[in-house]
Amino acid sequence: MHTEDGQKESKTDYRSLFENDYIIMFLLDPETADIVDANSAACNFYGYSRDEFLSKKILDISASSPEELIDDLNKAKHETKNHFFYEHKLANGNLHHVEVHLFPVLVDSKYLLYSVVRSIVERNRNCSNLLQSQMKYRMLADATFEAILIHDNGVILESNKAIKKILGYDSRTIIGKNLLKMVIHPDCVEKVMSNISSGYSKPYEVYCIKKDETIVPVEILAHNIAYNGKNVRVAAIRDISDRKLAEKKIKEYYEKLELKNQELDEALIKAEVATRTKSEFLANMSHEIRTPMNGVIGMTTLLIETELSEEQQQYVNTIQTSGEALLELINDILDISKIEAGKLEFEHLAINLNDIFEELGLLLGVKANDNGIELICSPEPDVPTNIVADPSRLKQILINLAGNAIKFTHNGEVVVTASIISESDSDVTLRFSVKDTGIGIPEDKLNLLFDKFSQVDTSTTRNYGGTGLGLAISRELVEQMDGTIGVNSEAGKGSEFWFQIRFDKHSEIKSVRKHCSRIEDVRVLIVDDNKSSRSLLTKTLSSWGLDVEEAEDGPAAVIALSEAHESQKPFTVALIDMDMPKMDGEYLARIIKSDSRNSEISLVVLSSAIPHSDSWSVLNSYFETYITKPVRTSDLCSKLYSVVHEGAQLPEQQSQDDDSDINKFKNTGAKILLVEDNVVNQQVALGMIKKLGLNADIVNNGLEAIEAFKSPEYDLVFMDVQMPKMNGMEATKKIRIIEASTSSHIPIIAMTAHAMKDDRKHCLEAGMDDYISKPIKIQSLIHTLDYWLIKKQDMAEKDTSSSVKEKETDLIFDSKLLMDNTMNDLELSRRVISIFLNNAPRQLENLKNSIQNQSEDIVEKAHTFKGATASVGGMSLSKYVAEIEAEARSGNSVNIGSLRKKVPELERRYETLVEELKKL
């Protein structure tokens, strides 16, 4: 409570301050925002007479919003903040940046706000007087959180009242006392004295002793000023106890964090060891599973080439497709590891989307038939199928989604299709949809679907099995292909899984449409109780130019046939589903053929299963042929073509492994050594090699390979990597040692069932020239043999024929060319050589590193080095580097092994050139 004497003292202090005509001061009423008093300095600054100024509110002279000003006045009134910055309006309309200090003062029993205004614009003028004024003001501004005092070599001359909050001393009683003896801790006195004598003006920390003898950490910021005609120090003292406590806590936290980081480092090391162990396990597991899979897929590949009935051909195709699907399942397991490691890789190949859907239908058709459901699997007819994609990844996603749909659908259908979202000349965005009539998914469980190892609920796991990896892998694959994936579902009503991806287009497309255009204008009746199946068949056939009608069952088909005859537009072909309620396909066929008007119509049965020979002998009386469901576009086209053209075969595109490919190696006379420990794999590889017109000697391990290598001369070695006694890596290294003494080099092609990222790199580092993965596919074998037995041989012959010319024409150092380039300036030539000798070692090393590491910048590094060597007349080296550039630019992956063989000759030519250049 303020006493009457205190009020008088406050009023007296306030009036005495107003007598200073160089400090802008006025009083505010915080309740009304009225300006109630002002000194002459304020009236002069703002450009008003005293009466004019006192008629204003603070809102009239401030550019700030009323809300902001009222909030600031309340803060000042309650002493939570007293220091503000504003733009104030002068009488002439100009805005002026000012610094304002507000603090409450009791005048005539009412609390007003005492305002001290300082022009920020004039801050740098009259520095000494303004600084002195600022210090006087700060001594008056008791609401500040800093203790401010002026001292002369430690003797306190003036102080503000805030010193009581900081150190506990009254501002009036401390005047004349020695700061160093009274306040500063003895351990800090020397530091403070040193800063006083040197005029130190940056913040520093010391300890002070409060009046109650407690020790408190403070921060001092001091400056030299002129005060009453002499140089003194003004110091601001701030209590930093809270900051020190915070720093202590931060330090403790940092120490804990350091300890935690050490623990994390140790855990990371353990995790890396575990990851390596996992990768090694996955690689070994992959090898062990792939080895028998090589036998399954390889033998079926050979079996397909033998004479088989159509039924046997279907069985073998299913076996091979299933084997390949199992192989892809193994790859799925490996993909989890690759995804987690961020090392998932994608191919960009020109594919036909129809092939993906046909393989999918062939693979999942049997499973759908076993479940008693209809599988419809085909893109919309208007979808461009000439896209650039990774076929295995795209098929992997579709198999995961469609396989799940079949698993969870007990009756009805699963429809797999693709439609256009947007299209341009160069690209297309497709929406793939897998829609089923299965059990559906509750809305509250949808967010679990794409998590790894998650199922909708435990009963689902018991009833249907599965690891929960399929959808998680699908999501990762779609997102890494810059696509989106989602699901629409309702419990008990089925689900639709969809994903959307943009693909580039390509021009290499084998379309069945141009062949099926030869059966356009043919009238076709589709009889199928499944609406989705009818709709897709209608769209497809209509896009080929056929006249199509639909019938949903047998009676509707009979009516349609009758109406067609009455309108004299009979049907040429009827596609009839075998499994229809009330009247199945066989019964309908009997009714149709019993009508003499239908004697010319050809009937084709649609069946989810391949008819057995006994059942087909009966059906053959009515049907021309059969098409298995899900209907494949190519099968539909070829069967219709054959029916319409009385058994003629559909003209086929020449396959990649046609007679020209198969017979191209017969005349090479190549001797091949096959190193393989597994008997089944030996037979598969040997069967494929023989099919290509070649033969091979077989040995069982690396030791036998070395012995075989010592006697006859082989043109090529296929070397299995993992074998007993001596593996392929060690055998290759020893063969290369033997070759070093003979200056010969035989191509060694690695064969491995390992599927990890660095396998190819490790094989090449061991001295192998190329890499072929198991299970071996005939096209991969053709490609490899074509390069190493034919193309590489042609390159070698060209090199041999040109070597003599090179020796005659390619100078190590063409000094005439260099002198011509430098206009016969010898000194300039020497400077060019000096620059080359400084830069060439780095350029050579960059090129060698790129070759060794199989980097993508080999062409760039070779091109740079080629130009540099040519500029100094190093023609032999320049041409050799040009060969490296050309071979790398060809893009053939098998060239990397041969490029590494060029490095020694590259180094030799460089060293020879350097010797010649130094002579100049």
Side-chain angles (χ1 to χ4, degrees), residues 747-913:
I748 299 179
I749 313 302
M751 298 188 304
T752 177
H754 285 278
M756 304 308 285
K757 178 179 175 62
D758 293 331
D759 290 332
R760 182 177 184 274
K761 180 180 178 181
H762 294 156
C763 291
L764 297 177
E765 288 174 349
M768 296 177 174
D769 297 274
D770 203 354
Y771 174 103
I772 187 169
S773 61
K774 295 180 180 179
I776 297 172
K777 295 183 178 180
I778 190 69
Q779 277 304 312
S780 297
L781 185 63
I782 290 172
H783 175 78
T784 302
L785 291 173
D786 182 50
Y787 180 80
W788 290 104
L789 294 183
I790 297 178
K791 293 180 181 177
K792 194 67 178 176
Q793 184 64 31
D794 292 344
M795 291 168 60
E797 291 175 358
K798 291 179 181 178
D799 288 344
T800 302
S801 63
S802 62
S803 61
V804 175
K805 294 181 181 179
E806 180 180 324
K807 291 178 181 179
E808 294 175 352
T809 61
D810 289 352
L811 296 176
I812 295 172
F813 171 44
D814 190 341
S815 58
K816 183 178 183 304
L817 176 61
L818 176 61
M819 294 304 293
D820 288 344
N821 290 341
T822 57
M823 295 174 291
N824 293 315
D825 187 332
L826 182 60
E827 289 303 317
L828 178 58
S829 297
R830 287 173 176 170
R831 284 203 301 273
V832 170
I833 290 174
S834 177
I835 293 171
F836 172 79
L837 294 178
N838 285 333
N839 294 328
R842 174 179 50 81
Q843 294 173 340
L844 174 63
E845 196 62 30
N846 288 342
L847 176 56
K848 287 163 52 181
N849 289 338
S850 294
I851 293 173
Q852 292 295 337
N853 297 328
Q854 306 175 46
S855 302
E856 296 180 355
D857 59 356
I858 296 176
V859 172
E860 177 187 345
K861 294 294 189 292
H863 186 76
T864 300
F865 192 45
K866 177 186 70 175
T869 55
S871 67
V872 295
M875 304 315 298
S876 175
L877 177 58
S878 180
K879 287 189 176 183
Y880 196 72
V881 178
E883 292 175 9
I884 294 176
E885 178 187 3
E887 193 164 350
R889 195 184 296 276
S890 71
N892 194 328
S893 61
V894 297
N895 288 344
I896 297 298
S898 62
L899 284 181
R900 286 180 171 175
K901 307 301 184 297
K902 292 181 177 292
V903 171
E905 177 64 15
L906 178 67
E907 292 174 330
R908 186 192 68 78
R909 295 195 186 204
Y910 168 73
E911 290 169 359
T912 305
L913 174 61

Side-chain angles (χ1 to χ4, degrees), residues 8-212:
K8 290 180 180 179
E9 179 183 347
S10 177
K11 185 174 182 179
T12 302
D13 288 345
Y14 134 67
R15 290 307 313 170
S16 65
L17 290 173
F18 264 51
E19 295 173 2
N20 293 311
D21 58 1
Y22 56 85
I23 299 177
I24 303 167
M25 304 179 193
F26 56 84
L27 283 180
L28 286 172
D29 186 337
E31 302 299 331
T32 64
D34 291 332
I35 299 174
V36 298
D37 200 357
N39 66 355
S40 59
C43 295
N44 292 335
F45 176 75
Y46 288 98
Y48 294 107
S49 67
R50 191 170 186 277
D51 290 340
E52 289 174 333
F53 197 50
L54 296 184
S55 68
K56 302 288 184 182
K57 292 179 177 289
I58 188 63
L59 302 174
D60 298 328
I61 67 171
S62 175
S64 301
S65 66
E67 293 81 7
E68 181 182 354
L69 280 173
I70 297 302
D71 184 57
D72 289 349
L73 293 179
N74 286 328
K75 290 178 180 176
K77 177 181 176 181
H78 294 96
E79 300 187 61
T80 58
K81 182 178 179 182
N82 76 311
H83 188 192
F84 306 93
F85 293 90
Y86 298 110
E87 278 188 306
H88 277 183
K89 301 174 186 176
L90 306 185
N92 61 9
N94 291 338
L95 292 176
H96 205 92
H97 290 277
V98 295
E99 177 184 27
V100 180
H101 288 81
L102 298 171
F103 53 90
V105 59
L106 187 65
V107 179
D108 295 333
S109 302
K110 184 175 183 179
Y111 277 102
L112 303 177
L113 290 178
Y114 184 79
S115 304
V116 179
V117 179
R118 187 163 64 92
S119 170
I120 298 175
V121 175
E122 302 295 331
R123 174 176 289 175
N124 294 326
R125 297 178 184 177
N126 303 319
C127 181
S128 179
N129 291 335
L130 287 175
L131 184 58
Q132 186 174 355
S133 298
Q134 182 187 24
M135 291 304 103
K136 284 188 175 182
Y137 158 69
R138 293 198 66 176
M139 287 187 290
L140 295 170
D142 294 327
T144 183
F145 294 106
E146 296 178 350
I148 301 174
L149 53 84
I150 298 174
H151 68 88
D152 183 7
N153 287 321
V155 177
I156 300 173
L157 304 177
E158 291 193 47
S159 171
N160 70 342
K161 292 182 180 180
I163 197 167
K164 187 166 186 177
K165 297 178 183 178
I166 305 298
L167 299 174
Y169 294 99
D170 187 88
S171 60
R172 288 172 293 185
T173 61
I174 201 171
I175 303 298
K177 301 294 192 299
N178 191 315
L179 171 71
L180 300 177
K181 294 181 180 180
M182 185 176 183
V183 176
I184 304 301
H185 191 280
D187 294 343
C188 304
V189 169
E190 184 178 349
K191 180 178 182 179
V192 175
M193 289 180 63
S194 174
N195 288 342
I196 291 173
S197 61
S198 65
Y200 189 77
S201 61
K202 295 181 180 180
Y204 64 95
E205 297 177 9
V206 294
Y207 286 96
C208 286
I209 302 174
K210 298 177 65 172
K211 187 177 181 179
D212 61 5

